[in-house]
Amino acid sequence: DIVIDMKSVPLLDSCALELLVDMQNQLKKKGRDLIISDMNDVCTDILVCVKLFNEFKIITTKKLRP
C-alpha cells in the first residue's frame, strides 16, 4: 500500500484528482490500496463533490485532544 500525507496540500485540481485515481487503479490491480492521510477540509470537500471520497482509504493521524 502507498500512504500519501496530504497535510501540506491546500487543494486538489483536476490533474491531482486524475493522478490519485490513476494511482488507485494501478494499485488495485496489484491488490493494494492508496491511503490518503491528514487531508484538510477543502480537499475533503473536493473529493466529496466529485464523488471520489469513497474511492480511497482516508485516515487521520492527528491526535485528538481529551
Side-chain angles (χ1 to χ4, degrees):
D1 295 349
I2 294 178
V3 179
I4 298 179
D5 182 350
M6 301 278 285
K7 72 179 119 197
S8 297
V9 177
L11 62 92
L12 296 169
D13 63 9
S14 61
C15 291
L17 292 171
E18 183 178 7
L19 178 65
L20 290 173
V21 169
D22 288 346
M23 288 176 64
Q24 176 71 331
N25 290 339
Q26 291 297 320
L27 287 166
K28 284 221 181 253
K29 287 179 187 176
K30 298 176 182 180
R32 305 277 185 182
D33 286 308
L34 179 64
I35 302 167
I36 299 173
S37 91
D38 298 318
M39 202 167 31
N40 68 31
D41 291 341
V42 172
C43 292
T44 300
D45 289 346
I46 291 168
L47 284 183
V48 169
C49 286
V50 298
K51 300 184 181 352
L52 289 174
F53 185 80
N54 292 323
E55 297 300 314
F56 303 99
K57 287 186 178 180
I58 298 174
I59 62 171
T60 183
T61 60
K62 295 176 188 173
K63 293 188 178 183
L64 299 175
R65 294 181 187 174

